[in-house]
């Protein structure tokens, strides 16, 4: 069976500076991987390179989503192919109601995949169901995308988008940052609902805390732009004890 | 490639063929001789069987115009216009005028179809009966094809309400006393170079009169279309809302493709008496020219409303996406006590378009208020200027204005300018002015695209969000069209 995400010897740079330095990672459908590491080890860079953010250039190696070369696809094609990035700092889109944004995004993806667009009543019904799980007020969805949202509201909104779009591969970039414990539980329960045998989830985090709620199958330690150690969920606990000091020196 | 760089590349590729409405309808014209002279003005006046005083009015304006010079203070550049190289009158050949819609040239109806005029309005033009009990928003259309109105609908129902809605040439024959009383009282024949030219040679336009206390039973709508090659368009519109009345008027335009630049110098006059309200909405989508700006429309328009009565209100809403050059300042003279003026504007420029637009709010009466919301979007190599005047005269005690001007830049070859003038001649007025200029954010575009939107859709979504405050001011059916138009006019600016 083809891996959902296959990264082979990936090297990438921003403005001429190499940040990813021979990255290897394989995520199979049904798995949840956690990528941990010290600040500045290129964790967010990985998420941007995979999603195709302008300015993040692959110089060597390959990243395949369900066998398709990501570097040959535009940002929106990658999204339609099932790659979703939950942003560490979600952007504001002034004047565009969240519901309008959800409808535009979902139907754009469906159209690209040759599927039928979802009707407005069906969409609203589905969004209501998800909002209930995430303990979100529907009133919030009438407000412009992320404008005036608190940190916790933004992360809930990201999770709502992810649950609505039902991607094949979810990448969560520091989703726990800026979340209080209640929000963390709610967001985690949303992510856990997405766990399925057809879907892969990559959780990027600095702290073990999130992994108390989203239990990973595999934990990786990233340092200096590549994975330096891989283990089971107990590796996260070990890191909580010892910190990243070992890995920083190893990288240096 | 970075999103904005791509945008710039795409803008460079904007070509004439992208203008969907560039086609010419083949209808024979009845032309006045080329050039401008007293004889041509006499010809126009005679063609329209105008009363003698009207001819004199035109001739006076013409003599005045001969002494005037073209203004050059706007931030626009264009080759000198040869006013003797234009035709000042062109009418579709059936000069007798159609008695009913059946007599309307089918070619005209096909033209409206190509223009994408909403189906219900096309049906009205084609005289299609609606099934019983089917309720839809109703719009009366006075279609100006080149210079002569060829079809006026819903006339009977409007007549029942006492509303007069007809071509101004007809009003001159049927209601000369009304026209004579108000014509040129808001924009005098001596007002400015282009308005004076219009006064001399205007061919046709709409006339609206709402009697006291009447709320006009439907939106009134006119489609302007420039058709005859090399014909300057000089529309004249006059709307009078008598005491306590209300009217909403919609104007939408699009023009066929041309090699020569076309001059358009319209005049719109609005008069609101005591407690009356006029809402005037425009969607303008004239041909902007090819990638080098060649062939586009020159739009030099004078639009002004006079809040003559106490507690009257005039509201201008405009969506400007077309024309090579736009020179346009829909204004309000707030004469009546506690009268109110509003200006809501979206101006989008792309390619080589040049826009110099804004408004004037002239506070003359006590307790007058005004509000200005302007959203300018520049892409390609275009230049987009907001120019506005807010003034309060000595007697305008307690006058208030709020102004908000936002500019959005797409790419790095365009420009935006905000030129506000404020004149306060008494101590009690309060004027507020807010302005922002920002570049479309690559990060926001990336965020939208990560959710599956194409670059083009993402840009349109962000722009639609940017202009939302103004779109909300448009009548519903017009807002939908305007939203589409925004996407279409940005089509050239991104992939």
């Amino acid at each position: 069976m083809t891996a959902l995400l296959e990264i082979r010897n990936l090297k990438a740079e921003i403005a001429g500076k190499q940040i990813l330095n021979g990255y290897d990672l394989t995520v199979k459908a049904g798995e949840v991987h956690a990528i941990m590491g010290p600040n500045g080890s290129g964790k967010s860079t990985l998420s941007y390179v995979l999603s195709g953010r302008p300015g993040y250039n692959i110089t060597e190696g390959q990243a395949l989503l369900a066998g398709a070369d990501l570097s040959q696809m535009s940002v929106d094609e990658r999204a339609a192919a099932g790659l979703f990035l939950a942003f560490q700092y979600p952007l504001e889109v002034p004047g565009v109601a969240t519901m309008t944004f959800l409808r535009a995004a979902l139907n754009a993806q469906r159209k690209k995949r040759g599927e039928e667009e979802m009707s407005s009543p069906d969409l609203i019904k589905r969004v209501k169901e998800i909002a209930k799980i995430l303990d979100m007020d529907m009133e919030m969805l009438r407000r412009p995308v992320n404008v005036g949202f608190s940190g916790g509201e933004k992360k809930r909104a990201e999770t709502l988008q992810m649950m609505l779009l039902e991607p094949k591969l979810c990448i969560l970039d520091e989703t726990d940052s800026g979340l209080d414990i209640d929000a963390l539980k709610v967001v985690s329960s949303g992510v856990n609902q997405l766990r399925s045998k057809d879907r892969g989830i990559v959780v990027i985090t600095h702290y073990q805390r999130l992994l108390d709620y989203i239990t990973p199958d595999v934990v990786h330690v990233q340092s200096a732009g590549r994975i330096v150690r891989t283990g089971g969920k107990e590796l996260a606990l070990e890191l909580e004890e010892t910190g990243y000091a070992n890995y920083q020196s190893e990288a240096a | 490639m970075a999103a904005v760089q791509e945008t710039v590349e795409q803008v460079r590729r904007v070509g004439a063929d992208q203008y969907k409405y560039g086609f010419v309808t083949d209808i024979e014209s009845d032309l006045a001789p080329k050039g401008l002279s007293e004889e041509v003005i006499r010809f126009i006046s005679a063609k329209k069987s105008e009363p003698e005083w009207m001819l004199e009015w035109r001739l006076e304006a013409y003599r005045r115009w001969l002494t005037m010079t073209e203004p050059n203070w706007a931030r626009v550049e264009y080759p000198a216009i040869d006013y003797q190289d234009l035709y000042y009158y062109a009418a579709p050949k059936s000069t007798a005028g159609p008695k009913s819609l059946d007599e309307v040239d089918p070619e005209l109806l096909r033209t409206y179809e190509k223009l994408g005029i909403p189906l219900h309005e096309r049906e009205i033009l084609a005289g299609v009966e609606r099934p019983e009990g089917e309720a839809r928003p109703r719009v009366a259309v006075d279609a100006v094809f080149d210079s002569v109105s060829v079809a006026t609908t819903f006339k009977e129902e409007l007549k029942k309400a006492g509303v007069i809605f007809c071509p101004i040439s007809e009003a001159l024959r049927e209601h000369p006393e009304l026209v004579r009383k108000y014509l040129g009282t808001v924009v005098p024949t001596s007002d400015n170079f282009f308005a004076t030219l219009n006064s001399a040679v205007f061919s046709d336009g709409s006339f609206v009169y709402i009697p006291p206390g009447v709320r006009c039973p439907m939106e009134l709508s006119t489609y302007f279309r420039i058709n005859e090659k090399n014909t300057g368009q000089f529309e004249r519109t006059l709307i009078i809302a008598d005491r306590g009345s209300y009217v909403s008027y919609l104007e939408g335009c699009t023009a066929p493709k041309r090699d020569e630049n076309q001059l358009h110098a319209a005049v719109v006059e609005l008069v609101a008496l005591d407690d009356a309200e006029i809402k005037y909405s425009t969607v303008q989508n004239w041909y902007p020219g090819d990638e080098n700006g060649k062939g586009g429309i020159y739009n030099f328009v004078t639009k002004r409303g006079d809040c003559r009565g106490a507690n009257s209100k005039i509201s201008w809403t405009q969506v400007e996406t077309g024309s090579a050059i736009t020179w346009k300042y829909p204004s309000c003279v707030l004469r009546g006590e506690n009268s109110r003026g509003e200006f809501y504007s979206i101006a989008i420029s792309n390619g080589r378009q040049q826009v110099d637009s804004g408004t004037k709010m002239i506070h003359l009466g006590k307790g007058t208020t005004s509000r200005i919301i302007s959203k300018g979007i520049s892409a390609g190599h275009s230049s987009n200027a907001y120019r506005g005047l807010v003034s309060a005269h000595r007697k305008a005690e307690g006058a208030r204005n709020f102004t908000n001007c936002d500019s959005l830049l797409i790419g790095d070859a365009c420009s935006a300018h905000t030129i506000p003038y404020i004149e306060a001649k008494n101590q009690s007025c309060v004027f507020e002015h807010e302005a922002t200029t920002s570049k479309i954010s690559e990060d926001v575009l990336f965020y939208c695209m990560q959710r599956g939107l194409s670059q083009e859709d993402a840009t349109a979504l962000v722009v639609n969000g940017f202009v939302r405050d103004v779109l909300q001011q448009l009548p519903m059916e017009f807002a939908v069209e305007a939203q589409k138009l925004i996407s279409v006019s940005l089509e050239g600016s991104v992939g």
Side-chain angles (χ1 to χ4, degrees):
Chain A
M1 185 190 129
T2 336
L4 189 55
L5 177 67
E6 177 97 58
I7 302 176
R8 291 188 211 126
N9 189 33
L10 191 70
K11 294 184 182 173
E13 48 128 62
I14 312 166
K17 193 178 174 217
Q18 187 160 316
I19 307 286
L20 295 188
N21 190 15
Y23 210 101
D24 291 294
L25 176 68
T26 303
V27 178
K28 294 201 186 83
E31 291 179 346
V32 175
H33 288 234
I35 297 177
M36 304 183 72
N39 290 327
S41 59
K43 299 196 299 292
S44 288
T45 299
L46 174 71
S47 70
Y48 291 143
V49 168
L50 294 179
S51 56
R53 182 172 184 155
Y56 290 70
N57 306 315
I58 295 175
T59 52
E60 217 184 303
Q62 262 192 326
L64 307 172
L65 179 68
D69 188 348
L70 284 174
S71 69
Q72 300 303 308
M73 299 155 85
S74 64
V75 177
D76 50 318
E77 283 166 355
R78 298 179 201 205
L83 187 151
F84 183 95
L85 170 63
F87 282 56
Q88 183 176 3
Y89 304 108
L91 278 297
E92 298 181 358
V93 192
V96 178
T98 305
M99 202 52 139
T100 306
F101 183 75
L102 293 173
R103 182 183 301 121
L106 180 66
N107 285 333
Q109 290 202 12
R110 288 184 163 224
K111 226 168 127 184
K112 280 196 188 79
R113 294 194 292 256
E115 298 166 12
E116 225 176 283
E117 296 193 359
M118 190 185 264
S119 73
S120 287
D122 287 349
L123 180 87
I124 290 166
K125 200 173 146 217
R126 180 74 191 118
V127 170
K128 270 186 179 165
E129 289 167 6
I130 299 169
K132 205 173 164 196
I133 296 167
L134 296 174
D135 193 21
M136 280 170 76
D137 191 347
M138 284 299 281
E139 179 52 40
M140 215 174 101
L141 301 173
R142 278 189 275 277
R143 283 156 53 189
V145 178
N146 292 325
V147 177
F149 287 18
S150 69
E153 284 174 329
K154 282 183 183 172
K155 295 298 168 74
R156 279 175 212 232
E158 288 292 282
T159 312
L160 179 136
Q161 290 182 31
M162 187 163 70
M163 293 172 78
L164 177 70
L165 295 172
E166 301 182 317
K168 280 190 193 135
L169 178 70
C170 308
I171 304 171
L172 282 68
D173 186 10
E174 309 256 358
T175 292
D176 49 334
S177 70
L179 282 190
D180 61 35
I181 193 73
D182 292 330
L184 189 67
K185 281 182 187 168
V186 169
V187 166
S188 301
S189 79
V191 174
N192 284 328
Q193 291 224 354
L194 280 173
R195 295 183 86 136
S196 94
K197 61 176 175 44
D198 305 317
R199 183 173 291 127
I201 298 175
V202 175
V203 180
I204 295 171
T205 182
H206 190 78
Y207 302 104
Q208 132 77 20
R209 182 175 81 139
L210 179 65
L211 305 181
D212 288 340
Y213 302 98
I214 304 169
T215 313
D217 301 304
V218 186
V219 174
H220 307 276
V221 182
Q222 179 174 333
S223 178
R226 60 197 172 90
I227 283 172
V228 293
R229 195 172 156 198
T230 297
K233 63 182 174 216
E234 65 290 343
L235 178 56
L237 295 168
E238 183 194 315
L239 284 169
E240 186 79 355
E241 292 280 316
T242 60
Y244 293 114
N246 296 338
Y247 301 100
Q248 268 158 334
S249 56
E250 186 177 308
Chain B
M1 197 191 298
V4 168
Q5 262 169 336
E6 253 175 69
T7 304
V8 173
E9 290 303 310
Q10 291 295 341
V11 165
R12 292 206 185 104
R13 288 201 289 272
V14 173
D17 48 330
Q18 294 194 359
Y19 188 71
K20 291 179 182 168
Y21 304 142
F23 50 85
V24 177
T25 307
D26 188 19
I27 296 173
E28 286 178 70
S29 281
D30 192 356
L31 291 171
K34 211 176 199 180
L36 189 52
S37 64
E38 291 206 3
E39 285 64 49
V40 168
I41 290 163
R42 284 176 199 281
F43 173 90
I44 294 168
S45 191
K47 269 278 174 198
K48 300 185 160 295
S49 323
E50 286 177 355
E52 185 62 25
W53 64 265
M54 193 62 230
L55 173 63
E56 282 309 315
W57 197 85
R58 287 176 181 276
L59 289 172
E60 196 192 309
Y62 172 65
R63 289 172 198 136
R64 178 97 190 186
W65 181 76
L66 289 174
T67 69
M68 299 169 93
T69 46
E70 206 172 316
N72 59 5
W73 42 262
R75 284 193 71 95
V76 294
E77 281 174 32
Y78 53 92
I81 299 167
D82 182 355
Y83 291 92
Q84 295 303 336
D85 194 36
L86 294 170
Y87 290 101
Y88 288 87
Y89 182 81
K93 217 180 177 184
S94 54
T95 42
K99 298 279 180 295
S100 74
L101 285 167
D102 293 343
E103 293 178 28
V104 172
D105 192 326
E107 190 72 15
L108 288 194
L109 297 174
R110 273 196 291 278
T111 301
Y112 287 115
E113 189 179 328
K114 278 192 262 182
L115 283 174
I117 287 173
L119 201 59
H120 61 278
E121 291 178 27
R122 232 187 292 154
E123 281 181 1
I124 292 163
L125 281 169
V128 172
E129 295 285 327
R130 290 215 157 272
E132 289 276 327
E134 191 180 338
R136 289 226 186 155
R138 289 188 308 169
V139 181
V141 182
D142 174 21
V144 176
F145 189 83
D146 251 22
S147 309
V148 174
S149 296
V150 290
T152 302
T153 55
F154 275 121
K155 219 165 179 174
E156 285 309 303
E157 189 161 347
L158 290 171
K159 206 171 169 184
K160 256 186 258 164
V163 171
I164 303 168
F165 176 38
C166 65
I168 200 161
S169 54
E170 186 183 319
L172 271 163
R173 292 191 297 271
E174 309 287 327
H175 312 280
E177 70 299 336
L178 274 176
V179 178
R180 197 171 186 178
K181 186 173 173 188
Y182 291 102
L183 188 72
T185 62
V186 185
V187 180
T189 52
S190 57
D191 192 81
N192 70 70
F193 183 84
F194 296 110
T196 304
L197 177 63
N198 174 288
S199 299
V201 301
F202 76 83
S203 40
D204 219 329
S206 294
F207 176 82
V208 176
Y209 173 78
I210 316 291
V214 169
R215 192 179 168 87
C216 187
M218 63 192 73
E219 312 262 4
L220 303 181
S221 170
T222 298
Y223 279 88
F224 290 95
R225 178 159 168 76
I226 300 171
N227 197 271
E228 193 60 33
K229 191 170 185 173
N230 243 357
T231 305
Q233 280 279 295
F234 304 95
E235 309 293 345
R236 188 93 193 186
T237 298
L238 176 59
I239 299 176
I240 302 136
D242 213 324
R243 289 188 308 280
S245 67
Y246 169 85
V247 62
S248 169
Y249 187 88
L250 319 177
E251 176 200 26
C253 340
T254 154
K257 185 153 92 182
R258 285 291 172 219
D259 281 327
E260 289 91 344
N261 282 301
Q262 289 180 296
L263 176 64
H264 187 90
V267 171
V268 176
E269 296 180 278
L270 312 181
V271 179
L273 302 181
D274 288 354
D275 304 303
E277 180 178 348
I278 301 174
K279 188 174 166 62
Y280 193 105
S281 312
T282 308
V283 171
Q284 186 264 114
N285 181 30
W286 283 327
Y287 181 52
D290 66 13
E291 59 199 357
N292 298 313
K294 191 168 182 281
I297 305 293
Y298 292 178
N299 191 19
F300 299 99
V301 184
T302 305
K303 288 184 167 178
R304 196 173 302 151
D306 189 356
C307 286
R308 208 163 278 182
N311 306 311
S312 56
K313 179 179 169 186
I314 289 177
S315 175
W316 298 100
T317 305
Q318 59 173 28
V319 180
E320 302 274 325
T321 61
S323 295
I325 291 175
T326 303
W327 181 100
K328 181 181 174 190
Y329 315 90
S331 304
C332 295
V333 180
L334 303 167
R335 204 183 299 275
E337 263 182 40
N338 300 319
S339 60
R340 179 168 174 81
E342 291 175 345
F343 175 74
Y344 300 99
S345 170
I346 299 169
I348 300 180
S349 57
N350 198 349
R352 298 270 174 188
Q353 282 177 279
Q354 304 174 64
V355 179
D356 193 305
S357 182
T359 184
K360 286 189 275 188
M361 292 292 173
I362 315 286
H363 294 257
L364 299 178
K366 273 185 202 166
T368 48
T369 57
S370 61
R371 181 178 164 87
I372 299 170
I373 308 286
S374 164
K375 306 278 184 182
I377 296 126
S378 345
H381 289 83
S382 67
S383 159
N384 202 323
Y386 168 83
R387 187 186 300 276
L389 167 70
V390 179
S391 80
H393 287 243
R394 283 198 314 279
K395 289 176 183 166
E397 276 167 44
R400 289 192 73 107
N401 164 266
F402 174 76
T403 299
N404 173 263
C405 298
D406 294 328
S407 305
L408 186 69
L409 301 168
I410 300 176
D412 54 11
C414 56
S415 65
H417 313 270
T418 303
I419 310 162
Y421 299 84
I422 294 177
E423 291 171 7
K425 290 183 183 146
N426 78 71
Q427 296 283 335
S428 62
C429 56
V430 180
F431 291 167
E432 292 173 70
H433 183 96
E434 291 176 1
T436 64
T437 302
S438 53
K439 215 170 159 176
I440 196 162
S441 158
E442 275 198 42
D443 289 349
V444 172
L445 288 181
F446 169 63
Y447 182 67
C448 296
M449 289 170 72
Q450 209 298 308
R451 297 302 183 249
L453 294 167
S454 65
Q455 190 182 337
E456 192 171 276
D457 289 346
T459 306
L461 191 78
V462 170
V463 169
N464 268 303
F466 177 74
V467 302
R468 193 171 78 131
D469 295 348
V470 175
L471 276 185
Q472 283 174 334
Q473 297 297 329
L474 286 172
M476 184 67 107
E477 61 267 38
F478 230 33
V480 175
E481 270 183 67
Q483 206 160 346
K484 268 188 237 154
L485 186 58
I486 290 166
S487 304
V488 168
S489 54
L490 289 167
E491 253 170 34
S493 79
V494 289

